[in-house]
Amino acid sequence: VSYAQAARALALSKAGTRKRVLDLGSGPGPVAAAFADSGARELVLVDASREALSLARRILENPPEGLAPQGPPRVETLAADLEGLSPDRLPPGPYDAVSFGHSLNELWKGLPDRVARRAALLESLRSRVAPGGLVLVVEPALLATSRDAIALRDALLERAWSVVAPCPAPIPCPALAAGPSHTCHDAAP
């Protein structure tokens, strides 16, 4: 499901090929695989689980016949807890894309300032994104995680980020103002 969500977001973004990708909270690599299948040649995966990183490396470096006509991407892994990760520990940028697939919502979970901390993390990575690059955040379509994602979107707009989705309008999200039971998210068959 994470692979399909990332592949759909990449197709909708019409962003073209992203050759060098930093996948934070990568797990076994479904989002990285979507980037690889869209032409990425260098993948840097960061996750707290060494086992998940090992599995991701095996999958990404040995794609099924016909899925990687250009050959497998170069894969680099780093075992690290994202909540305590200093961007200085990451391989240097720039990256054509930085992604969080169902992982950003796990950071600072339950803390009242979790959205501000997540925005600060993204801001700390901003200089690592190449001009014209993108940050892809895919989150579960649950009420709490969706509302946090929308609040993060609004916080990034306040920091002069350009947002493609949800809602590309450069205004605060009306779903948040509508009350605690309101959200919006994308759906696809």
Side-chain angles (χ1 to χ4, degrees):
V1 170
S2 297
Y3 171 90
Q5 290 170 323
R8 183 174 185 320
L10 289 173
L12 289 173
S13 75
K14 299 179 180 148
T17 301
R18 302 300 174 171
K19 296 290 186 189
R20 188 160 193 246
V21 177
L22 173 63
D23 188 7
L24 296 163
S26 66
V31 174
F35 275 102
D37 288 349
S38 72
R41 301 306 306 140
E42 292 182 51
L43 303 169
V44 177
L45 283 67
V46 181
D47 198 275
S49 170
R50 291 181 192 281
E51 185 176 316
L53 290 170
S54 177
L55 178 58
R57 182 182 290 280
R58 286 195 313 270
I59 292 168
L60 294 165
E61 290 181 341
N62 300 291
E65 187 73 29
L67 276 187
Q70 72 279 13
R74 187 171 129 310
V75 178
E76 184 175 345
T77 61
L78 172 65
D81 174 8
L82 295 183
E83 285 186 7
L85 180 66
S86 164
D88 296 336
R89 285 199 52 215
L90 297 170
Y95 296 95
D96 299 309
V98 174
S99 63
F100 293 85
H102 295 245
S103 58
L104 195 56
N105 72 89
E106 296 292 327
L107 303 180
W108 303 288
K109 201 172 190 173
L111 295 181
D113 64 343
R114 65 191 173 276
V115 172
R117 288 176 184 237
R118 294 168 188 162
L121 173 61
L122 289 176
E123 193 66 37
S124 76
L125 296 167
R126 190 178 206 169
S127 66
R128 305 249 177 180
V129 179
L134 73 95
V135 174
L136 173 65
V137 177
V138 177
E139 297 288 28
L142 304 169
L143 180 62
T145 54
S146 295
R147 288 184 60 81
D148 278 1
I150 294 168
L152 176 61
R153 170 213 176 266
D154 286 359
L156 294 175
L157 284 174
E158 290 175 8
R159 291 177 159 97
W161 283 59
S162 174
V163 176
V164 175
C167 187
I171 59 170
C173 178
L176 290 181
S181 64
H182 295 272
T183 188
C184 73
H185 53 270
D186 185 45

